[in-house]
Amino acid sequence: MWFEELLITIKYYLVLQMPGSLQPVGSAFLSSLPIMTSFGGLFALATLLERKMLGRIQNRYGPNRVGPGGLLQPVADGIKMLTKEDIVPKNADHLIHFLAPLGLLVSAMLGLSVIPFGHRLIALDIETGILFFFAMGAASELAIFMAGWGSRNKYALLGALRAIAQMISYEIPLILSALSVLMVVGSLSLSDVAQAQSGGIHTWHIFTPWGFLGCILFLISTLAEINRSPFDIPEAESELIAGHMTEYSGFKYALFFMAEGVAMFAMCALTATLFLGGYHAPLPILSFIPGPVWLFGKLTSLVLLFIWIRGTMPRLRADQLMEFAWKFMLPMSVVNLIAAGVWVALDGGVAAWILSGLLNCVAYFGWSRILSQASRFNPRTYRYAEEAGVSK
Amino acid sequence: MTPSPDHPGEAMPQFKMHATGVEGVTEGTERMEVSMGPHHPSTHGVFRMDVELEGETITKLKPVFGYLHRNHEKIAESTSYLGSMPYTDRLDYFNSMTNNWAYALSVEKLAGIEVPERAEYIRVITAELTRLQNHVSLIGFLVQDMGALGTPLMYAFRERERILDLFESLSGARMMCNFMRFGGCRCDVSADWIKQAQSVVEAFPQFLDEFEALISENEVLMARSQHVGILKPELAIDAGVAGPVLRATGVNYDLRKVDGYGIYDRFQFRVPLGDHGDVYDRYMIRVLEMRESVKILQQALAEIPNGDYVNPKAKLRGFRPPPGEAYGRIEAPKGELGFYLISDGSPKPYRYRVRPPSLINLTILEDMCLGQTIADAVIILGSIDIVLGEVDR
């Protein structure tokens, strides 16, 4: 806690140095400055990390020319992006084309403002923090559609249509699986959610039946929500070139990338807060290590998981993605909500463990069995031509 | 039609839309025409598909090619027979060895040149190595088109590199090998090279097992490729489709068995056949064919006899085949590759015609893509396995 207290003391000291009329603005600025700078820097490092890791997965080195071990590659990329020509298509809707990347980045950054990074270390501690977060996530859909529509490009339009369909469909299981946590905690404020998991690793929500399934559902929906592989169909490089980003170049393109990166961090931070104990240490003994370190550690592990998935999975088709959302994700998240309800009704304990665990297991295995029996996709065996029956 | 802000008075061009009149489409909906290519990440070269979309469903598809046309046939008619041998490398630039062989085979038919046994073995070895590297890069590209972000492709290319290294040490070039000659090959293989080739061939099944374990029964891959881009055997035969695309529909037609050209009748290998004719079958047929190619290679590398690598009587300079015509065809990795030659007794062919498997296999693209989505069209095109150098010539 000492670290958080130190930061808060510094902030109030600085605010008190300002003239009275500037203090509210200054306070807001000082609260948001660390978020903007740290996540901007983290984004730069994450691009490098992603390229390096993908390189390793793909049996190659990844960037290793700029700086020691390629460490300065993000700087070089940034300079390249800044100095590139900013091309706007002649027939594009200039205003919307210009606003789209900004809207995307702003909504992603605003989502971070309700994440508690440590004890009392939260930029915007509002009662309805998670609602605000999801509202910002929904705003990013608007920005993506603005990009697709404003570019006046057919690939961009198709990409934007796909993005809207996908993000709206996946928002439902996303919110429903987050709802299970909110039901148990009994609060919409994310600092309350984090506080509920303060007692060490056994109090983390992922180690409950509803939390485990909820976390997996939440992570899958997150992948779809931030358009990452295997759900990257709005960008779908091999089909739509770059989807809604097709007509962007230079720094606007970089802003899109940055917004996607920041949105990924925000979603990972939310996952960590909801299910993985937030800024709390796994063992109370370790709580002398500052909260932000834990949160960033958990966040980075989730980002690594996403990169790993990106390097391994082929992409689904748009209709299969929808099918997955409505036929699997939605029923599962509803069942999970019931399991969380059972947990709340029995107020935890062994009986609640068994009942909600049983409910989730039966639902998961039963439903996937039914779905896989109805599936038309199976491994096949192949025959070989008879030697005698060669057709001439 | 509003005037654009930059150009007052000038109407903004709208997307070209078509009013429907087609059954099954509700009135008032319009279709979008998208020109995919020629600069598109997954058209495998400078190829264009003019597609008409109903939502994301393809209602019309027109393949447009010719961007890479370079007058191959006419140039070959104005140069000597041997002079166009290196030029055949550039047809299907993935498989120069088989291109060379098909051309050499038709000239040998035309002039009646015998090929020594050792040369036949070398040809079989290089051709099957070519088949391995073509199929392995194809399945890599195919899974890449499904959005697997390069990982399978990189694994595939790692194996392909080993084979290209063999080609390099044999012919001096990795891709443009220019290796075959009328009546044999350009140079002999050393015992050392055969050892190297054996080690590459022995290691190959391990790679295939690894690759298959990683991706062949992947849920997403099966969902993307099964029941997609179905080709009926009747249509395939009518259109003259050949190679793995044809065999994936269940038609048993492999020129190595049918013609038994070269010395293929000496080797034990089977011809895998598909039952559905969809993208997954085309993928799996290639995987299984690679396993059979490995068997052929193992036999050929073990049995290769000593002797001449080229017929000493075959003339390199002043080569004038007697007047006549010949059609030589082989089972190239992409299908039936044939060269049709007419000689008038001069040093240049009177007529030189290529039967490119890529082009013939491409003609059925629309039939496979209708009713599928735009994402399917990309992998259907990928599964046909085209090389634009051969399509356009």
Side-chain angles (χ1 to χ4, degrees), chain A residues 54 56-60 90-94 149 152-155 157-158 162 229-230 232 237-241 310-320 372 375-387 389-392, chain B residues 6-7 10 12-13 15 32-33 35-36 40-42 53 56 145-151 154-155 158 217 220 222-224 226-228 250 252 257-258 269-276 278 280-281 284 288 292 373-376 378:
Chain A
L54 283 178
R56 284 297 165 187
I57 290 173
Q58 295 172 3
N59 187 34
R60 55 189 177 85
K90 191 176 121 190
N91 294 316
D93 194 328
H94 289 241
W149 185 253
R152 212 163 244 276
N153 175 302
K154 292 172 188 178
Y155 294 114
L157 187 63
L158 278 173
R162 284 177 173 196
S229 176
D232 57 342
E237 196 225 330
S238 56
E239 298 149 28
L240 298 184
I241 304 180
R310 185 170 176 215
T312 22
M313 298 285 275
R315 182 191 303 124
L316 281 163
R317 210 170 55 209
D319 55 320
Q320 290 164 347
S372 62
S375 166
R376 302 186 300 143
F377 311 119
N378 298 302
R380 292 175 182 168
T381 51
Y382 285 85
R383 64 196 167 91
Y384 290 90
E386 299 290 325
E387 284 300 315
V390 175
S391 56
K392 294 253 175 185
Chain B
D6 285 349
H7 308 273
E10 188 185 319
M12 263 170 127
F15 289 145
M32 183 157 72
E33 273 186 1
S35 166
M36 288 177 78
H40 185 279
S42 49
L53 298 176
E56 280 214 23
D145 282 345
M146 290 180 201
L149 203 94
T151 309
M154 289 293 167
Y155 279 43
R158 182 186 65 198
E217 297 189 356
V220 181
M222 289 199 297
R224 280 300 300 277
Q226 291 190 354
H227 312 293
V228 164
N252 176 17
K257 294 278 188 195
V258 176
F269 67 99
R270 300 174 297 171
V271 180
L273 298 174
D275 286 322
H276 302 79
D278 55 11
Y280 189 75
D281 271 3
M284 281 304 291
L288 296 172
E292 298 302 317
T373 66
I374 197 165
D376 292 331
V378 166

Side-chain angles (χ1 to χ4, degrees), chain A residues 266-304:
Chain A
M267 295 304 284
C268 289
L270 186 66
T271 316
T273 308
L274 286 176
F275 298 101
L276 300 174
Y279 55 85
H280 290 293
L283 296 171
I285 282 181
L286 292 173
S287 55
F288 65 90
I289 300 174
V293 175
W294 289 114
L295 188 78
F296 277 96
K298 290 166 187 174
L299 189 154
T300 313
S301 340
L302 288 173
V303 170
L304 290 181

Side-chain angles (χ1 to χ4, degrees), chain B residues 222-355:
Chain B
M222 289 199 297
R224 280 300 300 277
S225 57
Q226 291 190 354
H227 312 293
V228 164
I230 293 174
L231 176 62
K232 293 262 176 284
E234 299 80 35
L235 176 66
I237 292 171
D238 287 352
V241 170
V245 181
L246 178 67
R247 290 192 288 278
T249 65
V251 179
N252 176 17
Y253 186 77
D254 187 326
L255 286 178
R256 291 176 293 177
K257 294 278 188 195
V258 176
D259 273 12
Y261 64 94
I263 47 165
Y264 270 112
D265 44 5
R266 297 186 194 179
F267 302 114
Q268 294 289 319
F269 67 99
R270 300 174 297 171
V271 180
L273 298 174
D275 286 322
H276 302 79
D278 55 11
V279 174
Y280 189 75
D281 271 3
R282 272 168 241 148
Y283 162 83
M284 281 304 291
I285 290 296
R286 286 180 173 108
V287 173
L288 296 172
E289 254 179 36
M290 278 194 278
R291 293 192 188 277
E292 298 302 317
S293 286
V294 168
K295 281 188 203 161
I296 299 176
L297 277 167
Q298 282 166 340
Q299 295 168 44
L301 285 167
E303 293 166 8
I304 181 166
N306 288 324
D308 286 329
Y309 63 91
V310 66
N311 187 342
K313 288 179 204 150
K315 279 169 78 178
L316 274 184
R317 292 173 205 289
F319 177 66
R320 287 165 187 267
E325 57 178 353
Y327 178 67
R329 58 179 189 174
I330 65 162
E331 180 72 26
K334 292 176 167 47
E336 176 185 334
L337 173 65
F339 284 82
Y340 176 60
L341 298 169
I342 300 180
S343 164
D344 56 358
S346 69
K348 300 170 187 171
Y350 173 74
R351 179 75 176 100
Y352 170 105
R353 159 86 185 146
V354 188
R355 189 248 186 235

Side-chain angles (χ1 to χ4, degrees), chain A residues 58-356:
Chain A
Q58 295 172 3
N59 187 34
R60 55 189 177 85
Y61 289 106
N64 62 354
R65 297 287 111 181
V66 194
L71 211 58
L72 293 178
Q73 186 69 40
V75 182
D77 284 347
I79 292 170
K80 184 196 82 174
M81 284 296 192
L82 269 173
T83 50
K84 266 186 155 181
E85 189 188 352
D86 175 34
I87 301 165
V88 181
K90 191 176 121 190
N91 294 316
D93 194 328
H94 289 241
L95 183 67
I96 290 180
H97 189 266
F98 173 73
L99 282 181
L102 293 178
L104 202 59
L105 185 63
V106 167
S107 61
M109 281 281 186
L110 278 176
L112 281 168
S113 64
V114 291
I115 303 285
F117 292 94
H119 185 64
R120 289 176 66 208
L121 214 60
I122 177 167
L124 189 64
D125 194 3
I126 48 178
E127 283 293 300
T128 51
I130 193 153
L131 268 184
F132 182 80
F133 189 97
F134 288 133
M136 285 304 116
S140 70
E141 285 160 33
L142 179 68
I144 286 182
F145 195 72
M146 278 161 69
W149 185 253
S151 299
R152 212 163 244 276
N153 175 302
K154 292 172 188 178
Y155 294 114
L157 187 63
L158 278 173
L161 290 175
R162 284 177 173 196
I164 292 291
Q166 167 180 342
M167 291 169 92
I168 287 179
S169 307
Y170 274 87
E171 219 150 65
I172 299 165
L174 184 82
I175 293 176
L176 281 182
S177 48
L179 206 57
S180 60
V181 176
L182 305 177
M183 242 166 85
V184 174
V185 174
S187 167
L188 282 172
S189 159
L190 282 171
S191 45
D192 288 350
V193 172
Q195 204 54 46
Q197 307 172 73
S198 60
I201 194 163
H202 61 281
T203 55
W204 291 6
H205 290 147
I206 190 172
F207 297 111
T208 55
W210 51 269
F212 184 68
L213 185 61
C215 186
I216 291 172
L217 292 174
F218 194 85
L219 276 177
I220 295 173
S221 314
T222 298
L223 281 176
E225 192 69 12
I226 57 179
N227 303 333
R228 272 188 76 86
S229 176
F231 303 129
D232 57 342
I233 57 157
E235 293 169 34
E237 196 225 330
S238 56
E239 298 149 28
L240 298 184
I241 304 180
H244 56 274
M245 304 188 289
T246 307
E247 289 291 1
Y248 282 90
S249 60
F251 203 63
K252 283 187 199 156
Y253 188 68
L255 278 185
F256 267 108
F257 255 84
M258 188 162 176
E260 276 184 3
V262 172
M264 177 169 72
F265 297 139
M267 295 304 284
C268 289
L270 186 66
T271 316
T273 308
L274 286 176
F275 298 101
L276 300 174
Y279 55 85
H280 290 293
L283 296 171
I285 282 181
L286 292 173
S287 55
F288 65 90
I289 300 174
V293 175
W294 289 114
L295 188 78
F296 277 96
K298 290 166 187 174
L299 189 154
T300 313
S301 340
L302 288 173
V303 170
L304 290 181
L305 178 74
F306 285 3
I307 296 173
W308 185 15
I309 292 174
R310 185 170 176 215
T312 22
M313 298 285 275
R315 182 191 303 124
L316 281 163
R317 210 170 55 209
D319 55 320
Q320 290 164 347
L321 189 85
M322 294 297 149
E323 215 175 279
F324 185 62
W326 295 103
K327 283 192 186 162
F328 184 78
M329 300 290 288
L330 186 63
M332 277 301 116
S333 49
V334 170
V335 168
N336 191 47
L337 205 59
I338 298 171
V342 170
W343 182 279
V344 172
L346 296 177
D347 204 18
V350 180
W353 244 96
I354 294 171
L355 262 180
S356 61

Side-chain angles (χ1 to χ4, degrees), chain B residues 3-309:
Chain B
S4 82
D6 285 349
H7 308 273
E10 188 185 319
M12 263 170 127
Q14 298 289 314
F15 289 145
K16 198 176 171 191
M17 301 278 196
H18 281 295
T20 64
V22 183
E23 66 177 306
V25 178
T26 45
E27 201 160 333
T29 58
E30 290 173 323
R31 294 181 181 186
M32 183 157 72
E33 273 186 1
V34 182
S35 166
M36 288 177 78
H39 49 264
H40 185 279
S42 49
T43 49
H44 296 256
V46 273
F47 172 65
R48 200 173 100 210
M49 291 187 279
D50 278 347
V51 289
E52 201 181 86
L53 298 176
E54 168 79 35
E56 280 214 23
T57 312
I58 292 170
T59 53
K60 207 161 118 189
L61 186 146
K62 192 174 131 206
V64 182
F65 38 80
Y67 295 96
L68 214 58
H69 182 64
R70 46 202 197 284
N71 232 339
H72 179 96
E73 289 175 3
K74 197 66 200 169
I75 289 174
E77 282 163 20
S78 55
T79 186
S80 69
Y81 282 90
L82 186 61
S84 43
M85 179 64 84
Y87 211 52
T88 60
D89 289 344
R90 276 87 179 158
L91 275 174
D92 172 0
Y93 39 76
F94 265 73
N95 308 318
S96 59
M97 290 286 193
T98 48
N99 295 346
N100 289 171
W101 192 0
Y103 180 54
L105 192 74
S106 29
V107 174
E108 282 154 11
K109 268 192 180 174
L110 189 67
I113 303 172
E114 291 283 314
V115 183
E117 204 177 353
R118 185 175 174 83
E120 292 280 21
Y121 270 93
I122 299 173
R123 283 180 174 187
V124 167
I125 291 166
T126 52
E128 293 306 315
L129 282 174
T130 302
R131 195 180 315 280
L132 282 186
Q133 61 92 15
N134 177 73
H135 284 2
V136 83
S137 33
L138 174 93
I139 59 176
F141 276 123
L142 182 57
V143 187
Q144 159 104 339
D145 282 345
M146 290 180 201
L149 203 94
T151 309
L153 184 66
M154 289 293 167
Y155 279 43
F157 265 47
R158 182 186 65 198
E159 296 310 305
R160 179 170 178 254
E161 283 304 299
R162 296 197 179 131
I163 295 171
L164 291 189
D165 285 347
L166 283 179
F167 286 171
E168 189 179 11
S169 70
L170 183 62
S171 71
R174 299 163 70 77
M175 291 173 80
M176 303 295 126
C177 297
N178 182 20
F179 183 65
M180 310 281 178
R181 288 291 177 268
F182 311 136
C185 304
R186 201 180 74 215
C187 54
D188 201 359
V189 295
S190 62
D192 217 34
W193 189 87
I194 288 182
K195 269 210 194 79
Q196 282 177 35
Q198 265 166 341
S199 71
V200 169
V201 169
E202 289 311 319
F204 203 82
Q206 279 168 25
F207 158 74
L208 272 184
D209 291 342
E210 183 198 18
F211 194 89
E212 279 217 86
L214 283 174
I215 199 89
S216 273
E217 297 189 356
N218 181 299
E219 197 84 11
V220 181
L221 181 118
M222 289 199 297
R224 280 300 300 277
S225 57
Q226 291 190 354
H227 312 293
V228 164
I230 293 174
L231 176 62
K232 293 262 176 284
E234 299 80 35
L235 176 66
I237 292 171
D238 287 352
V241 170
V245 181
L246 178 67
R247 290 192 288 278
T249 65
V251 179
N252 176 17
Y253 186 77
D254 187 326
L255 286 178
R256 291 176 293 177
K257 294 278 188 195
V258 176
D259 273 12
Y261 64 94
I263 47 165
Y264 270 112
D265 44 5
R266 297 186 194 179
F267 302 114
Q268 294 289 319
F269 67 99
R270 300 174 297 171
V271 180
L273 298 174
D275 286 322
H276 302 79
D278 55 11
V279 174
Y280 189 75
D281 271 3
R282 272 168 241 148
Y283 162 83
M284 281 304 291
I285 290 296
R286 286 180 173 108
V287 173
L288 296 172
E289 254 179 36
M290 278 194 278
R291 293 192 188 277
E292 298 302 317
S293 286
V294 168
K295 281 188 203 161
I296 299 176
L297 277 167
Q298 282 166 340
Q299 295 168 44
L301 285 167
E303 293 166 8
I304 181 166
N306 288 324
D308 286 329
Y309 63 91

